[in-house]
Amino acid sequence: MTNFHVVIPARYASSRLPAKPLADIAGKPMVVHVYERARLSDAQSIIIATDDERIAEVAKAYGAPVVMTASQHPSGTDRLQEVATIMGWSSDDIVVNVQGDEPLIPPTLINQVAANLAAHSQAGIATLAEPLHDVTQLTNPNVVKLVRDVHNMALYFSRAPMPWARDAFSEAITALPNPELYMRHLGIYAYRVAFLNAYVQWPPALLEQVEALEQLRALYYGVKIHVDLASVNLPAGVDTLADLERVREIFKQGLHENV
């Protein structure tokens, strides 16, 4: 069994859904559901990282450990590094970032991404992906695509359609010519603390700023990112009010117990 920590970043401010971590789902705040899912994993410890006292008070009321972080961080990775420093974790400790808006995250995936990083010493990060079959997802800039090498290390992440099928896409994108090549990135990461400490010292990369994808900073500075296909499906998280209502209905029907 892999030893690792889970950090759940939870920010009160959200442009599309303010106070999102505290949104009620089946009688509990969303961030508490995320915490309870993480507790089903093999993590040594689970921390909710927040800069808001309202979130901290609610989390503590449910027995969740909380670390207060700075209100301004350029990225979620910077926030994780602050938590690792506060907790005194060693440089080779593994930290899994579980987003605070994933109330249906399967514990299996948390274990998987941690185990993958532990098994690949040449990588500083591990993450997951799933096959992409829908052309509309390929062209959707909100869906992050990736390509990887023969060793399952990431070559690039992008919001643009890729890989670009020169002949098949010459007039229009109507189908995926080689479906096995197309993958959607899932936003779950495992990091080594040594990487986190290095990351916050590096200036943002232009690629990172252009694509608005912080993992591109790691690639730019030569860090290997291991990418595995998710062993189970990752249900969509909560970004909008419509997403929240969808998840509430899943809980209402008891379908969350099957995830």
Side-chain angles (χ1 to χ4, degrees):
M1 185 176 71
T2 303
N3 292 327
F4 64 95
H5 309 281
V6 166
V7 175
I8 304 170
R11 295 176 62 249
Y12 190 87
S14 172
S15 57
R16 286 186 286 183
L17 193 58
K20 181 166 62 171
L22 300 182
D24 180 83
I25 299 174
K28 292 180 183 178
M30 177 162 56
V31 70
V32 173
H33 284 289
V34 179
Y35 171 71
E36 290 179 346
R37 299 292 288 184
R39 286 189 64 189
L40 297 175
S41 74
D42 296 330
Q44 290 174 277
S45 64
I46 303 162
I47 301 289
I48 293 178
T50 186
D51 58 359
D52 192 279
E53 288 290 351
R54 291 163 291 189
I55 295 174
E57 289 177 7
V58 167
K60 290 175 182 177
Y62 282 89
V66 175
V67 168
M68 298 300 296
T69 58
S71 58
Q72 296 297 324
H73 273 300
S75 72
T77 309
D78 292 81
R79 193 174 302 278
L80 258 68
Q81 190 274 339
E82 182 184 4
V83 173
T85 299
I86 292 171
M87 297 301 296
W89 293 333
S90 64
S91 60
D92 58 349
D93 279 355
I94 292 174
V95 183
V96 176
N97 181 1
V98 175
Q99 296 298 330
D101 57 6
E102 300 277 2
L104 294 170
I105 187 166
T108 298
L109 296 187
I110 300 174
N111 293 337
Q112 181 185 1
V113 73
N116 286 349
L117 184 57
H120 295 87
S121 59
Q122 72 275 38
I125 307 174
T127 190
L128 300 175
E130 64 182 8
L132 192 157
H133 304 294
D134 188 342
V135 170
T136 61
Q137 288 190 324
L138 181 67
T139 57
N140 183 347
N142 294 317
V143 175
V144 178
K145 280 70 65 173
L146 66 93
V147 290
R148 58 183 182 169
D149 66 16
V150 68
H151 303 295
N152 293 333
M153 298 296 173
L155 292 171
Y156 194 64
F157 298 82
S158 183
R159 298 183 183 278
M162 69 171 199
W164 186 263
R166 185 195 64 178
D167 297 332
F169 297 166
S170 60
E171 295 184 2
I173 304 177
T174 58
L176 302 181
N178 302 99
E180 68 276 7
L181 287 178
Y182 293 89
M183 287 182 286
R184 172 181 184 162
H185 180 226
L186 303 178
I188 181 170
Y189 296 94
Y191 306 97
R192 288 190 178 83
V193 170
F195 162 78
L196 294 174
N197 292 336
Y199 181 92
V200 298
Q201 303 299 320
W202 298 328
L206 184 57
L207 285 172
E208 167 195 3
Q209 295 172 322
V210 168
E211 293 254 24
L213 296 173
E214 62 187 78
Q215 66 267 40
L216 292 179
R217 188 189 311 184
L219 287 184
Y220 181 79
Y221 287 100
V223 175
K224 296 288 188 182
I225 302 178
H226 183 270
V227 182
D228 196 12
L229 290 178
S231 59
V232 297
N233 179 59
L234 175 62
V238 177
D239 288 321
T240 66
L241 182 58
D243 293 335
L244 179 60
E245 294 302 331
R246 170 183 51 79
V247 171
R248 282 171 171 165
E249 186 61 26
I250 289 173
F251 273 82
K252 182 179 179 180
Q253 296 181 18
L255 300 177
H256 63 289
E257 297 174 358
N258 300 322
V259 175

